[in-house]
Amino acid sequence: MSESTQAWVAAGVRAVIGAHTQAQDAGRTDDIVALYTPDAILELPGMEPLQGHDALRAAFKGWEPTQPQLHMVGNTVVTSSGPDEATAASDVAFFHRGDSGWTVQVVGHYDDRFRRVDGTWLLQRRVTTFQA
């Protein structure tokens, strides 16, 4: 795969990760779900895996913020296995603003798998782990 294709894949994947983070922190559930393939799987510690748009919509609707929150995602490494498939590994810190200001609630890691569908990059699987 050419260097320009790899850069294009990485840019597309990072755009999905950023759009997901922005939509999640703003409570835009439908925008989040639109970033996943219809058969996508989301794995979170302590929960059964969520699969498909209906399960994702119900979960993210229940997680809509009631107070300001911020997911800071960084250290993302994208690996492309072709022009239509990629993986990404990212670190994440979740902040919540309460009466005493911003505090870190959770530090974790995302292992993501992406697929390009009709020219659009979508999350196919996200596995989230939390750091102790």
Side-chain angles (χ1 to χ4, degrees):
M1 184 178 335
S2 73
E3 190 173 314
S4 62
T5 300
Q6 289 176 358
W8 177 82
V9 169
V13 164
R14 284 189 174 98
V16 173
I17 293 169
H20 189 293
T21 302
Q22 295 287 323
Q24 189 170 0
D25 290 339
R28 297 190 319 265
T29 298
D30 289 336
D31 291 349
I32 298 166
V33 173
L35 297 169
Y36 286 86
T37 62
D39 62 345
I41 297 172
L42 174 62
E43 295 183 42
L44 297 161
M47 294 180 61
E48 290 295 316
L50 302 168
Q51 183 167 13
H53 281 177
D54 291 341
L56 292 167
R57 184 173 287 104
F60 281 108
K61 189 75 172 158
W63 299 326
E64 286 181 359
T66 57
Q67 295 181 327
Q69 67 178 37
L70 182 64
H71 287 78
M72 297 295 293
V73 181
N75 301 327
T76 300
V77 176
V78 178
T79 305
S80 176
S81 56
D84 296 323
E85 294 183 3
T87 60
S90 304
D91 295 320
V92 60
F94 173 66
F95 296 83
H96 181 264
R97 191 176 79 196
D99 293 337
S100 61
W102 289 96
T103 57
V104 176
Q105 299 296 303
V106 176
V107 174
H109 186 81
Y110 295 145
D111 283 303
D112 295 330
R113 184 172 35 191
F114 294 85
R115 184 174 55 197
R116 194 165 67 108
V117 179
D118 296 327
T120 301
W121 284 102
L122 299 172
L123 270 158
Q124 186 173 20
R125 182 180 207 105
R126 170 167 277 182
V127 177
T128 302
T129 54
F130 298 137
Q131 310 300 317

